Amino acid sequence: MNNVVLIGRLTRDPEVRYTSETQMAVARFSVAIDRPVRSGGEKQTDFPNVVVFGKQAENCERFLRKGRLVGVQGRIQTGKYTNKDGATVYTTEVVANNVEFLDWGDRNERSDRPAPQQASSPQKDDMGIPEGFQAIEDEDIPF
């Protein structure tokens, strides 16, 4: 079984690229996750890299920003490659099946939509009852 569930904050904005063949979106970002601390112990944090594909990758680019809280479900994937100096580099990343946006912050921060208009307050009489409504007497309440 290879199943990972993480909750943490983005350490940077998601970086999205598209595959050359199918033009599928691929988002990459890392998440800061605090390790459990024993009493008196020093706080330690892990920074796993996360990869997301498809429409969910596009949504990550659109709605996520550095510092936002996310939940990630997926699997661990390891790999290796040889860098330009000839050294072998080993990689470990989380391939996400699901990314949940747990913290929205300022909803208008990334949106292309204009901010919602504030509704005007209805006129109220001296008792604080909006215009068009009438006061209910206690004896009029059926319970």
Side-chain angles (χ1 to χ4, degrees), residues 9-52:
R9 295 196 178 273
L10 269 69
T11 62
R12 61 180 185 209
D13 291 352
E15 177 185 313
V16 175
R17 295 184 178 170
Y18 290 85
T19 60
S20 58
E21 294 176 16
T22 62
Q23 292 300 301
M24 180 188 299
V26 180
R28 293 182 177 275
F29 55 89
S30 61
V31 179
I33 303 167
D34 291 335
R35 292 183 188 173
V37 179
R38 294 182 181 167
S39 62
E42 186 177 330
K43 176 181 166 183
Q44 294 182 330
T45 305
D46 291 308
F47 301 95
N49 292 316
V50 179
V51 181
V52 187

Side-chain angles (χ1 to χ4, degrees), residues 72-85:
V72 176
Q73 292 177 311
R75 62 184 169 83
I76 295 279
Q77 180 172 293
T78 60
K80 67 179 180 176
Y81 65 92
T82 305
N83 67 11
K84 57 187 168 189
D85 297 330

Side-chain angles (χ1 to χ4, degrees), residues 26-139:
V26 180
R28 293 182 177 275
F29 55 89
S30 61
V31 179
I33 303 167
D34 291 335
R35 292 183 188 173
V37 179
R38 294 182 181 167
S39 62
E42 186 177 330
K43 176 181 166 183
Q44 294 182 330
T45 305
D46 291 308
F47 301 95
N49 292 316
V50 179
V51 181
V52 187
F53 294 94
K55 185 68 172 173
Q56 191 147 51
E58 293 172 355
N59 286 334
C60 287
E61 178 186 35
R62 185 172 174 201
F63 295 111
L64 291 180
R65 282 285 173 258
K66 178 180 177 178
R68 294 279 169 84
L69 187 66
V70 294
V72 176
Q73 292 177 311
R75 62 184 169 83
I76 295 279
Q77 180 172 293
T78 60
K80 67 179 180 176
Y81 65 92
T82 305
N83 67 11
K84 57 187 168 189
D85 297 330
T88 301
V89 177
Y90 294 91
T91 62
T92 302
E93 58 194 8
V94 176
V95 178
N97 297 328
N98 187 25
V99 177
E100 296 283 334
F101 308 151
L102 302 177
D103 175 27
W104 285 92
D106 179 6
R107 289 179 184 255
N108 297 321
E109 184 177 308
R110 271 285 285 201
S111 178
D112 297 333
R113 292 175 280 160
Q117 297 295 320
Q118 294 290 335
S120 60
S121 298
Q123 297 296 321
K124 297 182 179 180
D125 66 12
D126 293 340
M127 293 177 57
I129 300 171
E131 187 178 317
F133 289 87
Q134 60 185 356
I136 297 176
E137 300 298 326
D138 285 341
E139 56 267 0

